[in-house]
Amino acid sequence: PEVDVDSLLAGSPHGRRLAKEALEAATANVEALLAFGAAKNREEACWALAVVDSRSFTFQPDKPDEQLALVPLLDMLNTSTLVEDNQPVWQCSFEPDGSVQEGAVLVTEKAVEVGEEVLHMYSTNSSAMLWMVYGFLEDGQGQNLFEIAGLEVDVEKVTGTDDASLREVKHQALAGLGFHDNCILVELPQDAETHGNLMPLARLLSCSSVEEVDRVLPHLRASILDGQEPVDLGLDLELSARLLVSDLLCDACRRSDEELARLRSSEVGELERLAILLLTRERHVLDLELHATNTFCAGAADALQGDGESRKRFKDELWDDETGWM
């Protein structure tokens, strides 16, 4: 039966993005195989693509002569991206030292007990990527070191209380920075890091006047488009931006809770079980970001209520010239 992906992954913006991209790429590749006569029919084309996507290994990664190849026997091994008790569950790494013709080795990185399943990490996959590419999510109580959670920024909602001129200036500024959609997807933790999109967006959207937008926009443009080192735009603006991020994260957590409740209230098949596991894993990322954001907000609010010395002390502790605010 046809699957309503948007409904199944309603609580995972990151998962919806990957599912959409995977479907578009698969459709285009199937049509290409059929057009070149490389497959007898659509079923054979889908089978071939599924095999290559889920079982191939990358040789010479990130080089001009990068190659994909099937490696019999090694493709039987399962993967893990989980860490339990601060220890990775996987024990092996795939090391393609040269071309496909030169072969490669699978190396154990720690002792493997008798009877223990041999696992290697296919790639630094988020849970959603594992599901979209390989068709499964691993069970277990550990955390995925490479987890990603999406955060949707509804520009119309965020700017809803601004006056018309300020709202227009913000929309123009966003377009100039390359953000043309009303709903902007940022993905954590990457976009919360230096040169990520989250904080520049939050700072722009938190500006309280056209003049403030004009003041901060060149610095945001330099950060987003040119990758230049961050500039301190003032603790007052930074606190406003962090409070906005806190609200966005709270909304994302609330949506995640609602979707988990909805999925659990209906008949739970395999797809629903995987969706529940995905949301549970992604929620850990949202919770960590929310805790860090609220901790910053509490400290910044205290510093702003104090004297000049308290502000200086707060900046000395949490500002870095290369990475910006911690």
Side-chain angles (χ1 to χ4, degrees), residues 201-223:
L201 279 172
R203 290 169 189 135
L204 174 60
L205 292 171
S206 297
C207 289
S208 58
S209 67
V210 172
E211 292 74 22
E212 190 169 29
V213 172
D214 291 338
R215 177 179 70 86
V216 305
L217 185 56
H219 302 293
L220 301 182
R221 186 180 293 115
S223 174

Side-chain angles (χ1 to χ4, degrees), residues 261-320:
R262 182 181 67 82
L263 289 166
R264 288 168 174 154
S265 67
S266 59
E267 182 177 349
V268 178
E270 180 60 13
L271 291 178
E272 289 76 17
R273 185 188 73 83
L274 291 175
I276 290 170
L277 184 55
L278 173 63
L279 292 181
T280 302
R281 293 258 165 83
E282 291 183 347
R283 178 58 181 269
H284 181 68
V285 176
L286 297 175
D287 286 340
L288 285 177
E289 291 294 341
L290 182 59
H291 175 74
T293 299
N294 287 344
T295 299
F296 181 96
C297 289
D302 288 343
L304 288 170
Q305 289 175 359
D307 53 18
E309 182 60 31
S310 65
R311 294 190 184 200
K312 180 180 182 303
R313 186 164 53 250
F314 184 80
K315 183 174 180 178
D316 289 343
E317 292 176 357
L318 293 179
W319 173 265
D320 182 277

Side-chain angles (χ1 to χ4, degrees), residues 17-313:
R17 177 182 72 81
L18 292 182
K20 180 176 181 291
E21 292 175 357
L23 181 59
E24 290 175 349
T27 300
N29 288 333
V30 165
E31 296 302 327
L33 286 176
L34 293 173
F36 282 101
K40 293 183 294 185
N41 50 47
R42 191 171 300 276
E43 182 180 3
E44 184 177 78
C46 289
W47 171 84
L49 287 170
V51 169
V52 172
D53 284 344
S54 65
R55 291 183 174 272
S56 61
F57 290 77
T58 304
F59 288 74
Q60 310 275 51
D62 301 320
K63 295 181 180 179
D65 50 354
E66 178 178 300
Q67 295 174 294
L68 291 179
L70 298 178
V71 184
L73 183 61
L74 289 191
D75 65 4
M76 296 175 61
L77 298 181
N78 288 325
T79 189
S80 177
T81 57
L82 298 184
V83 171
E84 296 179 351
D85 298 326
N86 295 319
Q87 294 296 320
V89 174
W90 70 91
Q91 322 98 330
C92 305
S93 63
F94 180 71
E95 299 185 5
D97 296 326
S99 67
V100 171
Q101 289 73 22
E102 295 173 276
V105 294
L106 193 72
V107 178
T108 55
E109 299 174 337
K110 63 179 182 179
V112 180
E113 302 294 332
V114 174
E116 183 181 1
E117 182 180 11
V118 176
L119 301 168
H120 79 99
M121 186 177 65
Y122 293 167
S123 185
T124 54
N125 292 308
S126 66
S127 294
M129 181 65 80
L130 272 175
W131 190 2
M132 298 308 132
V133 176
Y134 301 105
F136 72 93
L137 287 178
E138 54 189 316
D139 294 317
Q141 299 303 312
Q143 297 297 332
N144 183 349
L145 282 181
F146 316 103
E147 196 58 85
I148 295 175
L151 189 64
E152 293 176 308
V153 182
D154 186 334
V155 177
E156 289 295 332
K157 180 180 179 181
V158 172
T159 60
T161 58
D162 294 336
D163 62 54
S165 59
L166 178 56
R167 188 162 56 248
E168 178 63 22
V169 166
K170 287 182 179 179
H171 279 268
Q172 291 175 354
L174 287 170
L177 294 173
F179 301 106
H180 301 283
D181 296 332
N182 179 57
C183 187
I184 300 172
L185 174 64
V186 294
E187 296 188 325
L188 308 174
Q190 291 90 329
D191 273 323
E193 297 170 355
T194 304
H195 303 311
N197 288 332
L198 177 59
M199 289 314 304
L201 279 172
R203 290 169 189 135
L204 174 60
L205 292 171
S206 297
C207 289
S208 58
S209 67
V210 172
E211 292 74 22
E212 190 169 29
V213 172
D214 291 338
R215 177 179 70 86
V216 305
L217 185 56
H219 302 293
L220 301 182
R221 186 180 293 115
S223 174
I224 292 178
L225 300 181
D226 303 326
Q228 295 183 13
E229 292 184 353
V231 173
D232 179 13
L233 299 173
L235 187 54
D236 295 89
L237 177 61
E238 190 65 22
L239 176 56
S240 296
R242 299 287 178 126
L243 289 170
L244 171 58
V245 170
S246 179
D247 288 342
L248 294 171
L249 287 166
C250 286
D251 286 344
C253 290
R254 190 178 307 112
R255 181 67 184 275
S256 176
D257 288 341
E258 291 171 354
E259 287 304 311
L260 281 169
R262 182 181 67 82
L263 289 166
R264 288 168 174 154
S265 67
S266 59
E267 182 177 349
V268 178
E270 180 60 13
L271 291 178
E272 289 76 17
R273 185 188 73 83
L274 291 175
I276 290 170
L277 184 55
L278 173 63
L279 292 181
T280 302
R281 293 258 165 83
E282 291 183 347
R283 178 58 181 269
H284 181 68
V285 176
L286 297 175
D287 286 340
L288 285 177
E289 291 294 341
L290 182 59
H291 175 74
T293 299
N294 287 344
T295 299
F296 181 96
C297 289
D302 288 343
L304 288 170
Q305 289 175 359
D307 53 18
E309 182 60 31
S310 65
R311 294 190 184 200
K312 180 180 182 303
R313 186 164 53 250

